[in-house]
Amino acid sequence: DGGITQSPKYLFRKEGQNVTLSCEQNLNHDAMYWYRQDPGQGLRLIYYSQIVNDFQKGDIAEGYSVSREKKESFPLTVTSAQKNPTAFYLCASVNSRRESQHFGDGTRLSIL
Amino acid sequence: AQTVTQSQPEMSVQEAETVTLSCTYDTSESDYYLFWYKQPPSRQMILVIRQEAYKQQNATENRFSVNFQKAAKSFSLKISDSQLGDAAMYFCAYRVPNSGYALNFGKGTSLLVTP
């Protein structure tokens, strides 16, 4: 079955450390997105990519970086510049007809 | 910037009853999409229903229907014959056409279903 796979499910970061969250999709979708969810908040857009080798900042991109070297993959790096990284991170994708977004199961990132 | 407002942080409904969740949004666009997503305790985001702004007919998916009032910029979700499995966070979302079709979410409504 096609879908979006996020890994790991849980991740812990030490102070000053960069960590990378994985997002892989086998839906052949062109566009991919990263959202952050904090308690009591909706999802907020971090980065998005509409095609390979191109990506755009969302509303809260500071302290994060991404790459899109393959259509199937859109990893998110949480850098040490992100001072409050504890959150639930969701990856999503959408097909060329721009229909409804499909979401992965998320990664919970915590600070050690 | 487009904003999505869900004014009810929490709602409660008895099993088999009907409940309506409110959502308003702000946009200057004339053609856009609106969505309701469900997030159960598993944290998975599940699409409930989608509405295209140029369609005047309200979308319906089984027990879920919307009341789309374009002039009032209102997009409420009605859940009929509520079931225990409907208990979840519900998010209203607006699709942003000039940001790669990303979604702009409200803060959510937590729905409790009581037996």
Side-chain angles (χ1 to χ4, degrees), chain B residues 95-110:
Chain B
R95 193 169 77 182
V96 185
N98 58 352
S99 291
Y101 298 92
L103 296 176
N104 191 1
F105 286 86
K107 292 187 176 182
T109 296
S110 178

Side-chain angles (χ1 to χ4, degrees), chain A residues 4-20:
Chain A
I4 300 177
T5 301
Q6 289 188 243
S7 61
K9 194 174 180 68
Y10 300 97
L11 187 59
F12 298 91
R13 195 192 86 169
K14 295 180 181 179
E15 292 288 340
Q17 185 182 46
N18 293 351
V19 292
T20 298

